[in-house]
Amino acid sequence: MAADDMGHAEDAWWRSAVVYQVYPRSFADSDGDGVGDLDGLTGRLDHLSGLGVDVLWLSPVSPSPQADNGYDISDYQDIDPVFGDLAAFDRLLGAVHERGMKLVMDLVVNHTSDEHPWFQESRDPASPKRDWYWWRPPREGREPNNWGSFFSGSAWELDAASDAYYLHLFSPKQPDLNWENPWMRRAVYAMMRWWLDRGVDGFRMDVVNLISKDPALPDAEVHEQGPYGDGSPYFVCGPRIHDYLQEMHREVIARYPGRLLTVGEMPGVTVEQARLFTDPARAELDMVFQFEHVGLDHGRGKFDPRPLRLTDLKASLGRWQSGLADVGWNSLYWNNHDQPRVVSRFGDDGPIHRTRSATMLATVLHLHRGTPYVYQGEELGMANAPLRTIEDFRDIESLNHYTDALRAGAEPEDVLPGLRAMGRDNARTPMQWDASPHAGFTTGTPWIPVNPDHTEVNAEAALADPDSVYHHYRRLIALRHQEPAVVHGDFTMLLPDDERIYAFTRRYGRTVLLVVGNFTGDTASAVMPAGWDGAELVMGNGPSVPPRPGRLVLAPWEARVHRRND
Ligand code: NOJ
């Protein structure tokens, strides 16, 4: 990286930014077809600027058969008609920039759709693009190895046309690109530059730490019963991952110095690897999405949830804070389109505690060191969907898991509780704009039902109520913009063994912030950390219990931010 670029890294603009993720299918529908679209989003941008966010991350909008809601792209350089067209995209981009915000696209290049022309050509063994995907002959009449797919079943699909299998870590509609092929990589870089030259401000890179596979494609160990093994040792942060990301940086990112934000989605990434990916001197990525803290409530797999232990959460997030303290940078998130709603998961979405627990969770997250991400509706305290039978589900991951489990002998009621708690459809119910029948999302029939709680929980009501979750997020974002200690301060975890209170300090120069949050629905107390009695209250989420000297006493789900100047 050029010396002046490295100089920028310390005060790179994205360190003080807050990102808002839009899942366009579920945000705002302008034409009444029941699916959100770009014009709908453009019409709602004041909601984002009112909140004060700096960046809009847009989940995929390119042409797609929608097998995985757009994460299966069949043409990288156009817009799916369900969302609009390139003119609508340019209108959106212009309106985002007019409001002083930036727009980051989703880059899905671990795989394409099987309907992408690259894959269609690749199906012919004589094609120069044959090697753009992972084709292998059958092994003893079966799949080339025993890897399972993230969406159930084998990671290989037989293509009868050439009697060969292709690799798909996700659905058979999402064949994996072969990054070993330099021509394929060149085509991806050209496509990225095309979007950046159009004016977009960076990329969120879908499962980008899976792009380098061990070319030997060895069999995986099989830990559990069942025919398929976990191949992740051979493709999570694989052998050439850093080469590819450095090449991408050279060929694309470095050509737009100081302007872009890049964040790599990285399931299975460790802190040590994240330091390498986000060390500015290595010129790879600005930050990564890690998955450790959203796996702490998984049992035997994600659909076997167990209660979160607060001490585990503190140990995990604390390790990421210290691991990326001197080198690299964290991204901070509770929610996205793949996770259940945080107020239902780690808070309490009932009528009494919803606002308090949602604002406590927000406060704790946003006061960590790193760039916070807000997922649409999180700022309203939107909760999990009331999913009952399998007919209520839309997501390919949940549907495949259900089919597999029933085929293996399970009863629906064995499987549904896990899907209800953890399924991705929880995040994908329409954005709740107002109390009208479809929550102001569409005039048609929504592709997935609106959560009936929209009569109470909606943007219109939240804007009118100064104590709403929305206004709390707005104040947190403003605090980040005004208080340098939120952006730059050191992080020190306090009370690591306390199962009820999350507490830490942030220090920058002479300013110290103390952040405390009660993760329970009962009053909780601990010894007040020394030097904080009577300190200024910068922010809180509601009436506190009267202070007691030497004691930190928090009302149910209470959060507070104190400040002191040493
Ligand atoms: C991660 C995305 O966030 C998820 O929604 C998608 O299903 C997979 N990658 C495959 O693209």
Side-chain angles (χ1 to χ4, degrees):
M1 174 186 255
D4 56 334
D5 255 5
M6 278 177 65
H8 288 309
E10 269 308 295
D11 47 25
W13 65 267
W14 38 261
R15 290 200 174 206
S16 58
V18 177
V19 183
Y20 187 96
Q21 181 192 353
V22 166
Y23 194 66
R25 255 190 119 64
S26 303
F27 196 66
D29 173 22
S30 70
D31 60 6
D33 67 355
V35 178
D37 49 48
L38 294 177
D39 282 342
L41 166 55
T42 305
R44 293 288 189 176
L45 283 181
D46 287 345
H47 179 80
L48 276 66
S49 44
L51 197 56
V53 299
D54 308 274
V55 182
L56 160 59
W57 150 26
L58 185 59
S59 279
V61 289
S62 292
S64 161
Q66 306 288 332
D68 187 17
N69 289 356
Y71 283 91
D72 49 318
I73 294 177
S74 53
D75 178 354
Y76 283 116
Q77 293 180 208
D78 205 347
I79 299 294
D80 193 296
V82 81
F83 297 125
D85 53 22
L86 281 167
F89 180 83
D90 290 340
R91 282 195 296 276
L92 168 67
L93 186 59
V96 166
H97 286 161
E98 256 167 47
R99 286 168 175 76
M101 298 189 288
K102 295 192 178 241
L103 193 149
V104 161
M105 300 280 287
D106 223 302
L107 178 77
V108 188
V109 290
N110 174 69
H111 44 267
T112 65
S113 164
D114 65 336
E115 297 180 31
H116 195 293
W118 293 350
F119 184 76
Q120 291 300 324
E121 278 181 51
S122 172
R123 292 180 64 197
D124 174 358
S127 150
K129 291 203 174 60
R130 181 64 165 181
D131 190 39
W132 284 33
Y133 295 82
W134 293 93
W135 291 98
R136 289 290 183 277
R139 186 178 64 173
E140 293 163 15
R142 294 200 47 152
E143 296 92 355
N145 74 20
N146 68 354
W147 296 357
S149 135
F150 288 112
F151 289 164
S152 304
S154 168
W156 294 93
E157 183 78 3
L158 183 66
D159 190 31
S162 63
D163 191 32
Y165 284 86
Y166 64 88
L167 178 69
H168 60 86
L169 295 181
F170 295 90
S171 92
K173 298 278 300 167
Q174 294 164 295
D176 280 57
L177 284 164
N178 175 12
W179 277 71
E180 299 284 320
N181 185 300
W183 302 104
M184 189 287 291
R185 300 205 300 277
R186 231 172 259 191
V188 167
Y189 303 150
M191 172 273 281
M192 292 172 73
R193 289 192 297 262
W194 184 84
W195 282 108
L196 296 171
D197 292 341
R198 204 172 189 97
V200 314
D201 303 296
F203 295 105
R204 173 273 187 186
M205 303 182 187
D206 192 67
V207 291
V208 76
N209 66 326
L210 310 188
I211 60 177
S212 167
K213 279 89 174 166
D214 177 341
L217 306 174
D219 267 334
E221 264 182 65
V222 180
H223 297 292
E224 288 182 26
Q225 289 206 328
Y228 305 114
D230 170 12
S232 57
Y234 307 109
F235 57 72
V236 168
C237 301
R240 297 183 65 191
I241 183 66
H242 294 289
D243 296 345
Y244 296 153
L245 291 178
Q246 284 171 11
E247 181 183 74
M248 179 192 283
H249 195 282
R250 265 194 321 274
E251 296 296 323
V252 183
I253 309 300
R255 301 192 185 184
Y256 308 83
R259 177 177 132 203
L260 308 184
L261 179 158
T262 57
V263 51
E265 188 207 23
M266 297 204 169
V269 72
T270 64
V271 186
E272 293 69 33
Q273 289 158 344
R275 272 173 75 92
L276 301 177
F277 287 123
T278 65
D279 176 353
R282 294 171 55 90
E284 296 183 22
L285 296 171
D286 296 329
M287 57 193 115
V288 306
F289 289 131
Q290 56 96 6
F291 280 69
E292 214 177 83
H293 67 300
V294 290
L296 296 173
D297 59 349
H298 294 178
R300 290 179 314 136
K302 77 179 255 186
F303 293 120
D304 174 31
R306 60 184 187 193
L308 172 76
R309 284 172 60 105
L310 186 63
T311 46
D312 290 345
L313 183 67
K314 288 192 270 192
S316 170
L317 290 178
R319 215 156 28 73
W320 280 84
Q321 289 288 301
S322 54
L324 298 181
D326 53 342
V327 169
W329 191 248
N330 269 294
S331 64
L332 308 170
Y333 75 96
W334 294 132
N335 273 125
N336 57 42
H337 63 291
D338 295 330
Q339 300 293 332
R341 294 283 182 176
V342 71
V343 69
S344 306
R345 187 181 192 180
F346 299 154
D348 179 343
D349 60 13
I352 300 174
H353 291 308
R354 184 196 296 227
T355 300
R356 265 286 178 101
S357 64
T359 49
M360 184 282 293
L361 288 160
T363 308
V364 167
L365 187 80
H366 281 239
L367 268 291
H368 278 71
R369 182 181 158 92
T371 299
Y373 288 72
V374 180
Y375 176 67
Q376 64 184 49
E378 181 184 337
E379 79 285 12
L380 306 178
M382 275 180 65
N384 278 354
L387 302 161
R388 279 178 289 269
T389 68
I390 197 65
E391 280 70 45
D392 294 333
F393 289 82
R394 300 284 180 277
D395 176 27
I396 184 173
E397 180 189 43
S398 293
L399 297 175
N400 287 359
H401 177 77
Y402 181 85
T403 307
D404 247 34
L406 261 58
R407 205 178 282 143
E411 293 294 325
E413 270 314 314
D414 300 332
V415 192
L416 285 167
L419 293 181
R420 290 182 189 123
M422 303 304 279
R424 305 193 298 181
D425 287 318
N426 285 306
R428 301 176 180 186
T429 60
M431 178 71 176
Q432 296 169 197
W433 295 105
D434 58 39
S436 68
H438 296 309
F441 164 69
T442 181
T443 54
T445 306
W447 70 276
I448 185 171
V450 171
N451 192 322
D453 72 6
H454 74 276
T455 50
E456 310 277 316
V457 179
N458 61 68
E460 193 176 66
L463 259 73
D465 173 5
D467 296 327
S468 66
V469 181
Y470 173 88
H471 285 295
H472 192 86
Y473 270 85
R474 191 178 53 67
R475 287 189 285 267
L476 283 169
I477 294 165
L479 180 64
R480 172 167 290 265
H481 291 149
Q482 285 152 17
E483 172 54 82
V486 178
V487 178
H488 301 292
D490 289 353
F491 180 99
T492 305
M493 187 70 83
L494 307 175
L495 308 177
D497 301 323
D498 193 302
E499 286 294 354
R500 298 172 306 166
I501 298 179
Y502 201 116
F504 55 91
T505 56
R506 305 286 313 280
R507 174 185 289 275
Y508 186 62
R510 293 181 50 214
T511 306
V512 195
L513 303 175
L514 170 68
V515 183
V516 290
N518 179 358
F519 267 69
T520 77
D522 301 311
T523 302
S525 77
V527 173
M528 185 62 142
W532 286 98
D533 271 333
E536 175 200 359
L537 179 66
V538 182
M539 260 192 83
N541 65 348
S544 304
V545 285
R548 280 179 22 210
R551 290 302 288 173
L552 171 64
V553 186
L554 293 173
W557 302 107
E558 186 182 355
R560 296 206 298 255
V561 182
H562 291 283
R563 178 164 45 205
R564 186 176 91 186
N565 270 310
D566 284 354

